[in-house]
Amino acid sequence: TQLLEQSPQFLSIQEGENLTVYCNSSSVFSSLQWYRQEPGEGPVLLVTVVTGGEVKKLKRLTFQFGDARKDSSLHITAAQPGDTGLYLCAGGKDSNYQLIWGAGTKLIIKP
Amino acid sequence: SQTIHQWPATLVQPVGSPLSLECTVEGTSNPNLYWYRQAAGRGLQLLFYSVGIGQISSEVPQNLSASRPQDRQFILSSKKLLLSDSGFYLCAWSEGPVGRDTQYFGPGTRLTVL
């Protein structure tokens, strides 16, 4: 069974602090996607990383794919209340149609 | 541009009643289609996916079924709902045939079974 473990499950911090969310697996993935979901809405893609060691930046968000393509991290610098939401990672393999989903990290940024 | 629709947005149904949730995609052809269920604040559980008309793969054996009567229409059904069927149901589509392709999600249906 392929699993993607996300940590922490829940994080509540003050505006302006930095944080890192982790997504780990024992399986190798062709790609790792990060989604953000607001309450009552569907997830929206933030980024896809496909190369081992790849780093992508999206304003204050930095995404990294592990060298072995088994893990990924999301780092947020100077968190803002607008960053509040559920962050989901999902691993993809070229051999099938499905994504393997992590359980999510619920992030709350307090003003 | 592509859009994905789901309806209804919310639904309250008694135990034992039937269910039909509909999802349609516009602006693309032959999409891969997915039905997910999500417990409150948690990750996504894949229920069904389809790579073409009439082709349905089931991931979780349960009292739900899916059908794809048209290229861009995906329907989730049940003959008799259970309390455990309550949840947030999401439909998604992707363009490519492999797992690295982005999945685009609909707005979801909040189902409460009483």
Side-chain angles (χ1 to χ4, degrees), chain B:
Chain B
S1 64
Q2 300 89 358
T3 54
I4 179 168
H5 305 278
Q6 277 187 254
W7 64 90
T10 60
L11 191 59
V12 180
Q13 292 285 96
V15 169
S17 64
L19 173 73
S20 181
L21 302 182
E22 189 162 344
C23 171
T24 59
V25 181
E26 297 177 354
T28 187
S29 296
N30 197 31
N32 297 311
L33 296 172
Y34 308 83
W35 276 113
Y36 290 94
R37 179 168 60 202
Q38 184 178 33
R42 302 305 295 158
L44 307 181
Q45 179 189 29
L46 180 64
L47 301 175
F48 301 95
Y49 69 94
S50 171
V51 300
I53 296 175
Q55 301 179 58
I56 308 293
S57 295
S58 173
E59 288 302 303
V60 183
Q62 53 201 337
N63 68 318
L64 298 173
S65 62
S67 61
R68 184 171 178 172
Q70 300 181 46
D71 181 43
R72 289 169 290 176
Q73 184 184 30
F74 206 20
I75 298 172
L76 183 68
S77 304
S78 174
K79 292 182 180 178
K80 288 186 178 182
L81 284 168
L82 305 173
L83 285 174
S84 58
D85 291 324
S86 293
F88 191 48
Y89 287 82
L90 288 159
C91 180
W93 73 273
S94 67
E95 199 167 75
V98 295
R100 72 167 61 195
D101 295 291
T102 302
Q103 293 191 9
Y104 300 93
F105 288 83
T109 295
R110 174 75 59 194
L111 172 66
T112 303
V113 183
L114 301 175

